[in-house]
Amino acid sequence: MTLPQRLHEQIAAAGGWLPFDRFMATALYEPGLGYYAGGRRKFGAMPSEGSDFVTAPEMSPLFGRALARQVAQALAHSGCRDVVEFGAGSGALAAQLIAELDALGAGLACYRIVELSAELRERQRERLAAWGDRVEWLDELPAALEAVVVGNEVLDAMPVQLLAFDGQVWRERGVVSAGQAFAFEDRDSPLRPPLLDPGQGGFAPGTVTEIHRQGEAFIATLARTLRRGAAFFIDYGFPEAEYYHPQRRGGTLMCHQAHRADADPLVSVGDKDITAHVNFTGIALAGQDAGFAVLGYTTQAHFLLNCGIAALLAEASLAERAMAHRLLAEHEMGELFKVIGFAPQDAAFEAMGFERGDRSHRL
C-alpha cells in the first residue's frame, strides 16, 4: 500500500473528510509509509546530497558545543546525570552534545533519545555507536523523568489544525479525496485561534492559520512528567501577537523538499516535510498551566552568544566560522529561530542562555 492509498482509506473511514492534523500525522509518521519513516536522507547541507533541508547541528558543530554549556549548567543545578532528546534526526546534535559534555566534565551518565521513526533510529545508532550503552532509545515519554530535555526543530513537526476565516465565521480546514488527488474542504467547527482580536481591523477574509493543540499538549505532559531537571526547545516561530498578526493571512504552514519550500502539503505527499511555525506564547502557557516555570525565551543568536559561541568561533577555522555565522545572522537563523527554557516550578534557576536578550515579556 502507498501512502496516498492509506490516506484515501482514512478519509473514507472518517466519512469523507479528514481534519488536517490527522492528515499531517499520517503523511509524516505513518509506520513504513510516512515521510519520517521513509528512506530519504532528509537532513543535509545540499540538495545534491539527496537531502531536503538543513538543521543547525548539520550546519555547524558549534551549535551543539554551545548548547552543551547550557545543558551542563542545568545538569549541575538539578543534580541530574541524564539527557533526553526528542526527535534526534540524523544524530548530529546528540554526537555534539555527548562529546562536549564529556569534555566539560559534566558527569553525563546516559543520553536517551525518543524517536518515532525506526529508519532514523537506525541512522542514529550508527552515528552514536562509539558511546555504546551510554545511549538508549525510548519509544515514548517515561511516566516520570529526571533529566535535562532538549528538542531542536521538534515542535514545528507536530501536527497542527488549520482554521479558515471567510470574513464572518471560522471553519476548520480538512482534506477530502478528489479522485486520486487530495483537496481542502472547510467545515463548521467550534475551534478558534487564541487571539480573536488581533487589532488593525481584525482578520481579513480568506485568512488561514494554525492552532497547535498537539504541541501544547506535549509540553503540558512533559511538565507533569519532569520531576527534576530542565527543558530547552529550539525552533522557528513567534509570540502570539506576531503569529496571529492580521497581515499573516496565509498562516505559516510550509513544506520542504530538495531544499526548496512550498506551501502545498497535498501534493508529493510523503516525499516532503510538512511544518508550521511555533506559537511560543501557547507553548509557554501550556507549560506554566501544567507546573513549569519559564526560564527564558530569546532568539537563537542571543542564546548561543550567551552560551559562549563567540569563544568557540575564535578557535574555529574560516570555513567553520562562515557556517556558524548562519546560526547567528539575523537574516538567516539568528532571529527567526527562538529558544524557550522550562524547569519545574520549584526548581527555576538563572539559565545562562537567557542572561542577555530575554524576550519573555513579549510572550
Side-chain angles (χ1 to χ4, degrees):
M1 177 181 291
T2 67
L3 180 60
Q5 288 172 336
R6 177 70 180 123
L7 282 163
H8 284 301
E9 279 191 355
Q10 288 188 348
I11 291 169
W17 183 88
L18 196 67
F20 183 76
D21 59 328
R22 289 181 57 190
F23 178 91
M24 181 174 173
T26 299
L28 294 181
Y29 302 112
E30 182 73 6
L33 298 175
Y35 174 78
Y36 281 107
R40 293 181 67 95
R41 178 172 177 179
K42 304 174 185 67
F43 309 93
M46 300 293 291
S48 59
E49 301 172 346
S51 60
D52 293 321
F53 54 87
V54 64
T55 61
E58 280 85 25
M59 192 175 293
S60 171
L62 300 191
F63 176 81
R65 292 185 64 193
L67 176 59
R69 284 150 172 76
Q70 176 61 90
V71 173
Q73 184 202 20
L75 288 170
H77 179 269
S78 64
C80 296
R81 298 188 62 202
D82 295 348
V83 171
V84 173
E85 182 181 359
F86 284 89
S90 68
L93 180 57
Q96 293 162 14
L97 286 175
I98 297 169
E100 192 68 13
L101 288 169
D102 284 351
L104 294 170
L108 175 67
C110 186
Y111 195 101
R112 295 185 169 92
I113 295 173
V114 181
E115 179 60 67
L116 298 179
S117 168
E119 184 263 337
L120 286 177
R121 185 181 292 204
E122 288 310 306
R123 295 191 188 190
Q124 294 158 12
R125 288 187 192 280
E126 292 178 12
R127 189 163 197 163
L128 304 173
W131 287 284
D133 58 9
R134 290 180 67 198
V135 183
E136 297 177 357
W137 281 263
L138 306 174
D139 294 322
E140 58 187 10
L141 184 66
L145 193 60
E146 295 185 353
V148 175
V149 174
V150 294
N152 181 57
E153 295 198 49
V154 170
L155 299 175
D156 68 90
M158 293 190 176
V160 296
Q161 292 164 289
L162 293 183
L163 298 180
F165 185 60
D166 65 5
Q168 299 294 323
V169 296
W170 287 95
R171 291 185 172 89
E172 184 175 4
R173 177 156 291 182
V175 181
V176 298
S177 295
Q180 299 300 309
F182 302 100
F184 282 129
E185 182 179 292
D186 301 338
R187 293 195 175 184
D188 291 340
S189 170
L191 298 176
R192 298 291 183 269
L195 194 63
L196 282 174
D197 182 11
Q200 301 185 38
F203 290 103
T207 294
V208 178
T209 193
E210 307 89 24
I211 55 175
H212 299 258
R213 288 187 166 185
Q214 193 160 135
E216 291 165 8
F218 163 73
I219 293 295
T221 299
L222 181 61
R224 290 188 287 267
T225 301
L226 190 66
R227 308 295 171 80
R228 192 159 57 104
F232 301 92
F233 292 94
I234 306 101
D235 227 311
Y236 43 88
F238 315 100
E240 190 171 89
E242 293 179 42
Y243 197 102
Y244 296 105
H245 193 283
Q247 293 181 0
R248 201 181 304 283
R249 294 181 56 181
T252 72
L253 197 71
M254 193 60 60
C255 304
H256 301 274
Q257 185 178 22
H259 292 260
R260 294 182 179 179
D262 71 82
D264 190 351
L266 303 187
V267 300
S268 300
V269 180
D271 291 330
K272 58 185 180 182
D273 195 16
I274 307 173
T275 73
H277 286 51
V278 177
N279 170 14
F280 278 102
T281 299
I283 292 297
L285 290 174
Q288 287 182 325
D289 289 346
F292 264 158
V294 175
L295 299 177
Y297 165 74
T298 191
T299 65
Q300 178 174 287
H302 274 122
F303 182 85
L304 294 177
L305 288 168
N306 289 336
C307 291
I309 198 171
L312 298 176
L313 282 168
E315 302 169 354
S317 68
L318 287 177
E320 290 170 335
R321 292 179 193 178
M323 292 303 292
H325 177 72
R326 297 179 62 187
L327 303 174
L328 306 173
E330 185 174 344
H331 65 285
E332 295 267 5
M333 300 177 72
E335 175 66 29
L336 178 60
F337 278 71
K338 311 297 194 306
V339 186
I340 191 167
F342 295 105
Q345 192 72 47
D346 59 354
F349 62 101
E350 296 293 327
M352 66 167 62
F354 308 105
E355 184 177 353
R356 296 180 181 85
D358 185 22
R359 296 186 180 180
S360 298
H361 60 286
R362 298 190 186 181
L363 290 171

